[in-house]
Amino acid sequence: MRVVVPFDARDAKTRLDPFFTSSERAAFAEAMLDDVLSAIESAGGSPDVLATAPIDLDVPVTVDERSLDTAVNDILAAAGPDNPIAIVMADLALATPRALDRLLTAEGDVTIAPGRGGGTNALVVRHPDFRVDYHGASFLDHLRIAAEVGATVREIDSMRLATDIDERADLAELLLHSDGKAAAWLRDAGVELATENGRVGVRRID
Amino acid sequence: MRVVVPFDARDAKTRLDPFFTSSERAAFAEAMLDDVLSAIESAGGSPDVLATAPIDLDVPVTVDERSLDTAVNDILAAAGPDNPIAIVMADLALATPRALDRLLTAEGDVTIAPGRGGGTNALVVRHPDFRVDYHGASFLDHLRIAAEVGATVREIDSMRLATDIDERADLAELLLHSDGKAAAWLRDAGVELATENGRVGVRRID
């Protein structure tokens, strides 16, 4: 199955500023992208990257400077029962082949893996009329859009797919649950687990 | 299977102070407990409650004022291959019968559903020597303890079991993904979704 991975190659992971510098954020984002692409390939998917600027990768890259919604919806116009297309976010660095296999093999016109805080972290679309709207509580919007076009929806209940890495607290999840390139990058950068109020967070050592 | 649900009947959900008053926190915690007990029963489990103080419920209640670890480990002393015992936290208000079924039917001497921030939200123990230590990054501690006693571990990758409701931001998950008693309680209390920076949060209206 074609698995499209949108990637911001210009100013990635802005919510990790100032915990990381701009160049660190770019390097960390690329390490997460590498982990995601590897997991997709291990799950039997065929990943390609939809990037906001040119980037050198071992998989096909399409550069599209338009908004995420516009670019993705152009791609989804080709989706249908015989041509499923998946959209998987580039910061799902906890994603395992097993979790992605559950996503790619689930039945339903639209399969959604919700993200924390109402997001949509991964989608498989098998219905020609479904379109995305990633702004705000996109999970609820996508349920509504699916209902409007008469598409059945299947939710994937996965902690690994629900955990997009956007904020400082999310970094703890990577250190706890991954041994991929992004987790290694964090450790090399001196980021380690730190016990905070109730949940475990991170700190950075010199 | 016996499913023990620890419940703080004295001062529940302190991290929701001051968003809720003390009596509101107690009522909200009981609504979540109701949801969890119902989901366990629907999944075919036999729930009982391990409470820090007397509480009136339709399921058996054991009052134990000792620490959570001590009380749970006393119970786990009876666990074994022919007597699996599950420990499920009372604030997993997103838990569905389907998610709990995955937990209760998974194979392994110890089955763990990790929680956000390194917690352990649900466990099934089939090994006589495994013991809990819920302080700090308990997920990592439980992996270590299982290794020390030679117990195999199976992880359950579930967003619904990973999402314990402790902090204000967690309330959004309930409004997004549940139509149970706790979600209804929130709506009655005037809590609604509010779009914040990146993820959807909550606000309270008069």
Side-chain angles (χ1 to χ4, degrees):
Chain A
M1 187 186 309
R2 180 180 181 190
V3 182
V4 179
V5 182
F7 182 72
D8 186 348
R10 285 189 298 217
D11 192 20
K13 299 289 116 194
T14 52
R15 284 148 70 193
L16 288 174
D17 177 40
F19 192 68
F20 293 138
T21 66
S22 173
S23 62
E24 284 174 335
R25 287 188 278 116
F28 178 57
E30 285 197 39
M32 292 204 289
L33 176 62
D34 264 358
D35 285 343
V36 170
L37 295 174
S38 295
I40 291 168
E41 287 173 339
S42 296
S46 299
D48 63 285
V49 170
L50 175 66
T52 54
I55 177 175
D56 187 29
L57 293 171
D58 291 334
V59 303
V61 176
T62 304
V63 176
D64 193 326
E65 297 183 346
R66 297 175 298 170
S67 77
L68 177 64
D69 286 349
T70 303
V72 168
N73 283 330
D74 255 18
I75 291 168
L76 289 181
D82 299 323
N83 188 35
I85 297 176
I87 313 291
V88 172
M89 292 302 157
D91 59 356
L92 302 188
L94 263 62
T96 53
R98 185 185 181 117
L100 287 164
D101 181 72
R102 286 172 59 205
L103 174 80
L104 300 180
T105 60
E107 294 178 7
D109 294 335
V110 178
T111 304
I112 302 183
R116 278 196 265 163
T120 302
N121 285 356
L123 276 171
V124 178
V125 180
R126 294 184 174 83
H127 192 289
D129 299 329
F130 181 81
R131 295 294 179 269
V132 295
D133 178 355
Y134 280 109
H135 300 288
S138 68
F139 173 69
L140 298 180
D141 291 332
H142 290 148
L143 294 183
R144 175 182 52 73
I145 292 166
E148 285 171 0
V149 302
T152 60
V153 173
R154 173 73 186 277
E155 278 181 51
I156 300 297
D157 173 25
S158 166
M159 176 273 281
R160 292 183 173 275
L161 299 183
T163 307
D164 45 328
I165 307 294
D166 277 322
E167 302 175 356
R168 176 174 167 169
D170 304 332
L171 302 179
E173 305 300 336
L174 254 176
L175 293 176
L176 285 160
H177 298 291
S178 170
D179 55 4
K181 288 184 181 176
W185 187 94
L186 286 180
R187 293 188 181 98
D188 284 347
V191 179
E192 61 178 22
L193 294 174
T195 301
E196 291 177 357
N197 179 27
R199 288 182 181 143
V200 172
V202 295
R203 68 182 166 204
R204 192 168 185 183
I205 55 176
D206 291 327
Chain B
M1 187 187 307
R2 180 181 181 190
V3 183
V4 179
V5 182
F7 182 71
D8 185 349
R10 286 188 298 215
D11 191 20
K13 299 290 117 196
T14 51
R15 283 149 69 192
L16 288 173
D17 177 41
F19 192 69
F20 294 139
T21 66
S22 174
S23 62
E24 285 174 334
R25 287 188 278 118
F28 177 58
E30 285 198 37
M32 291 204 290
L33 176 62
D34 264 0
D35 285 342
V36 170
L37 295 174
S38 296
I40 291 168
E41 287 174 338
S42 296
S46 300
D48 64 284
V49 170
L50 175 67
T52 53
I55 178 174
D56 187 28
L57 294 170
D58 291 334
V59 302
V61 176
T62 303
V63 176
D64 193 327
E65 298 182 346
R66 296 175 298 169
S67 77
L68 176 64
D69 285 349
T70 304
V72 167
N73 282 331
D74 257 18
I75 291 168
L76 289 181
D82 299 324
N83 187 37
I85 297 176
I87 312 290
V88 172
M89 292 302 157
D91 59 357
L92 301 188
L94 262 62
T96 52
R98 185 184 180 117
L100 286 164
D101 181 71
R102 286 172 59 204
L103 174 80
L104 299 180
T105 60
E107 294 178 7
D109 295 335
V110 178
T111 304
I112 302 183
R116 276 196 267 163
T120 303
N121 285 356
L123 275 171
V124 177
V125 180
R126 294 183 174 85
H127 193 288
D129 300 327
F130 181 81
R131 294 294 179 269
V132 295
D133 178 355
Y134 280 109
H135 301 289
S138 67
F139 173 69
L140 297 180
D141 290 333
H142 290 148
L143 294 184
R144 177 183 49 76
I145 293 166
E148 285 171 1
V149 302
T152 61
V153 173
R154 172 74 186 275
E155 280 182 51
I156 301 297
D157 172 25
S158 166
M159 177 273 283
R160 292 183 173 278
L161 299 183
T163 308
D164 45 328
I165 307 293
D166 278 321
E167 303 175 356
R168 176 175 168 169
D170 304 332
L171 302 177
E173 305 299 334
L174 255 176
L175 293 175
L176 286 160
H177 298 291
S178 169
D179 55 4
K181 288 183 181 178
W185 187 94
L186 286 180
R187 293 189 183 98
D188 285 347
V191 179
E192 61 178 23
L193 294 175
T195 301
E196 292 177 357
N197 178 26
R199 289 183 179 141
V200 172
V202 296
R203 65 181 169 206
R204 193 167 184 183
I205 55 177
D206 290 329

